[in-house]
Amino acid sequence: MTGKPKKANRRKARAHLRPQPRPKPATIAWMQASVEDDLLSLAEEETGAESRWNRPRKRRISLRVDVEVVDWFKSNGPGYQTRINRILRRVMVEGKKRAGEKSKY
C-alpha cells in the first residue's frame, strides 16, 4: 500500500521547516565562545605520528574563506592550514558516523 503518509508523519517531516525561536544575545555569545574553544581543541589534538608513507594524499585547491576566519586561524600561530584541515577532517568523520547511524534505522 503506497498511499499518503499519515498526518503525524507529515508533521514530523516538516518540523525542520517551522521557524525556531531566536536565542538571546547572551546565549549567542556563549555559543560562539564554546564553538571557538571546540574548534581550537579539535585543531590541537594530535592525530598520532603518521609515517611518511601513511599520510593521506593532499590536493591543492583554491578556497574562498571569510577574511575574519582566516585571520582567526592565523592569529593562533603557524600551521593554520593544518588546523583547518584537521577540523574539516573531524567534521567529515563525524558526518560519516551520523550517516551510518541513520542508515541503520
Side-chain angles (χ1 to χ4, degrees):
M1 189 168 157
T2 59
K4 285 185 176 179
K6 294 185 179 185
K7 283 186 180 181
N9 291 340
R10 286 190 304 228
R11 282 189 205 121
K12 286 179 186 177
R14 287 188 257 141
H16 70 280
L17 299 175
R18 291 188 197 123
Q20 300 297 322
R22 290 186 161 251
K24 296 178 181 176
T27 305
I28 293 171
W30 176 81
M31 290 169 56
Q32 288 173 339
S34 175
V35 168
E36 285 182 6
D37 293 342
D38 291 345
L39 288 175
L40 277 176
S41 67
L42 285 175
E44 291 172 355
E45 283 183 12
E46 288 298 321
T47 57
E50 296 174 343
S51 70
R52 180 176 177 214
W53 306 109
N54 201 17
R55 294 182 190 156
R57 292 176 48 200
K58 308 275 184 181
R59 175 176 292 162
R60 183 178 300 265
I61 63 169
S62 176
L63 180 67
R64 298 180 75 73
V65 181
D66 294 340
V67 172
E68 296 87 13
V69 173
V70 175
D71 290 343
W72 182 76
F73 275 102
K74 284 185 173 183
S75 70
N76 292 310
Y80 73 96
Q81 291 175 334
T82 301
R83 287 192 297 274
I84 292 171
N85 190 59
R86 284 182 183 164
I87 290 169
L88 292 174
R89 176 171 287 282
R90 180 62 59 101
V91 170
M92 177 193 70
V93 168
E94 291 296 322
K96 285 182 177 180
K97 284 182 186 176
R98 288 183 183 148
E101 290 173 1
K102 288 180 183 177
S103 66
K104 289 180 183 178
Y105 298 106

